[in-house]
Amino acid sequence: MSDEQRLREIEAFFHEQIPLTRAMGVRVESYDGKQLVLTAPLTLNHNHLGTAFGGSLAAIATLAGYGFLWLELGDRRAHVVIRESAISYRRPVRHGIRAVCRRPEESVVAVFKSEFASKGKGRIRLAVTVEEDGLAAVELSGLFVAIHPR
Amino acid sequence: MSDEQRLREIEAFFHEQIPLTRAMGVRVESYDGKQLVLTAPLTLNHNHLGTAFGGSLAAIATLAGYGFLWLELGDRRAHVVIRESAISYRRPVRHGIRAVCRRPEESVVAVFKSEFASKGKGRIRLAVTVEEDGLAAVELSGLFVAIHPR
């Protein structure tokens, strides 16, 4: 499967399995092994002030973590969930939403993959930022868990 | 305005101003001065595992905070935003989503209202839980800010 096909496949999986992502208009923009980028238009995700709704921002940041782990594991059947998260809303998002999940240090990814393979369950902390005009508008730090499908 | 009318008015405001709440099927179930309860059906908010999507849970918990502050201030024009939040996903939500924002201690509410009135800006920490079968499935602690409309 080409990289582009893999992105479209993850996007279709989001839309089919998590109906809210369709309502949000979530797109999988790019993945280069170092970072996964998701986008969503403001028209579907604004709040009462005309900026991005905090709930949409939390949702897309969470999805970026799920998507990163599916791509990293190369296995969309893995049961990925979020255990806890801390979110800072630093500044309003005024245009489209663009969420970036950056790959953690290699040692962190290696421990996660090794636990997933040996114990059938891996935990990893991921950082996701929503960026606009070169600034981090929202920062999420989340503890994600992937469980091997039985 | 009767209590029931006030709930329907907040619900309509959510649906008009924050389109994602319509896609989520958010309803304002009750408010008795001590707690505000919002609900949303699983059919519109499930994830790839058939339980409630973490993003929907974060979104409805955030909305419960907004709604509580609008009702408490008696002023829907107040600009309510969330500054930061910490969320624990303790157990999967398997049926409908039911988010409860409980009124903080009276002294905390009093400081918030006094700052809102005197400085035009009040901050308050609110706790919201998503409950199922009598257990807290999700806990959000959020720092909310209300700004007086100019």
Side-chain angles (χ1 to χ4, degrees):
Chain A
M1 207 186 286
S2 75
D3 286 356
E4 179 60 28
Q5 280 175 319
R6 234 164 19 137
L7 298 188
R8 295 291 75 78
E9 198 257 355
I10 291 274
E11 188 175 289
F13 183 73
F14 278 153
H15 291 182
E16 280 159 23
Q17 300 288 314
I18 311 180
L20 196 67
T21 64
R22 215 163 36 220
M24 291 172 62
V26 171
R27 302 293 313 267
V28 180
E29 184 183 285
S30 65
Y31 175 66
D32 63 3
K34 289 184 191 156
Q35 62 177 35
L36 171 67
V37 181
L38 304 188
T39 64
L42 198 67
T43 43
L44 300 173
N45 294 287
H46 65 77
N47 62 14
H48 50 293
L49 302 173
T51 59
F53 169 46
S56 288
L57 293 165
I60 198 168
T62 303
L63 282 172
Y66 290 175
F68 176 82
L69 293 184
W70 280 320
L71 287 162
E72 194 56 45
L73 293 170
D75 186 352
R76 239 223 312 83
R77 295 165 312 150
H79 291 185
V80 175
V81 296
I82 185 164
R83 195 66 88 213
E84 58 179 51
S85 66
I87 310 181
S88 291
Y89 300 91
R90 300 201 181 283
R91 61 189 81 232
V93 174
R94 301 186 184 283
H95 308 296
I97 303 176
R98 188 167 183 277
V100 182
C101 179
R102 292 198 169 74
R103 186 187 178 82
E105 282 182 29
E106 204 46 50
S107 61
V108 172
V109 176
V111 168
F112 165 72
K113 285 189 168 178
S114 147
E115 288 188 345
F116 182 76
S118 65
K119 299 179 188 169
K121 183 175 180 175
R123 293 154 55 104
I124 189 166
R125 184 162 289 280
L126 296 175
V128 181
T129 53
V130 175
E131 302 179 2
E132 188 166 73
D133 300 330
L135 297 170
V138 178
E139 295 181 335
L140 173 141
S141 168
L143 183 63
F144 291 81
V145 180
I147 299 165
H148 203 282
R150 297 288 162 198
Chain B
M1 207 187 282
S2 76
D3 287 356
E4 179 61 25
Q5 281 174 318
R6 230 156 30 130
L7 297 189
R8 294 293 74 78
E9 198 256 357
I10 291 275
E11 188 174 291
F13 183 73
F14 279 154
H15 292 181
E16 281 159 23
Q17 301 287 317
I18 311 180
L20 196 68
T21 64
R22 214 165 37 221
M24 291 172 64
V26 171
R27 301 294 312 269
V28 180
E29 185 183 284
S30 65
Y31 175 65
D32 63 3
K34 290 185 190 155
Q35 61 178 35
L36 171 67
V37 181
L38 303 188
T39 65
L42 198 66
T43 42
L44 300 174
N45 294 287
H46 65 77
N47 62 15
H48 50 293
L49 302 172
T51 60
F53 169 45
S56 289
L57 293 164
I60 197 169
T62 303
L63 282 173
Y66 290 175
F68 177 81
L69 293 185
W70 281 319
L71 288 162
E72 194 57 46
L73 293 170
D75 186 353
R76 238 224 310 82
R77 294 166 311 153
H79 291 185
V80 176
V81 297
I82 186 164
R83 195 67 88 213
E84 57 178 53
S85 67
I87 311 181
S88 292
Y89 300 90
R90 299 200 181 284
R91 60 190 80 233
V93 174
R94 301 186 185 283
H95 308 297
I97 303 176
R98 188 169 181 277
V100 182
C101 179
R102 291 197 170 74
R103 186 188 177 82
E105 281 183 30
E106 204 46 51
S107 60
V108 172
V109 176
V111 167
F112 165 72
K113 285 189 169 180
S114 147
E115 289 188 343
F116 181 75
S118 66
K119 299 180 188 167
K121 183 175 181 176
R123 293 155 54 104
I124 189 167
R125 185 161 288 281
L126 296 175
V128 180
T129 53
V130 175
E131 302 179 1
E132 189 166 75
D133 300 331
L135 296 170
V138 178
E139 295 181 334
L140 173 141
S141 169
L143 183 63
F144 292 81
V145 179
I147 299 165
H148 203 283
R150 298 288 161 200

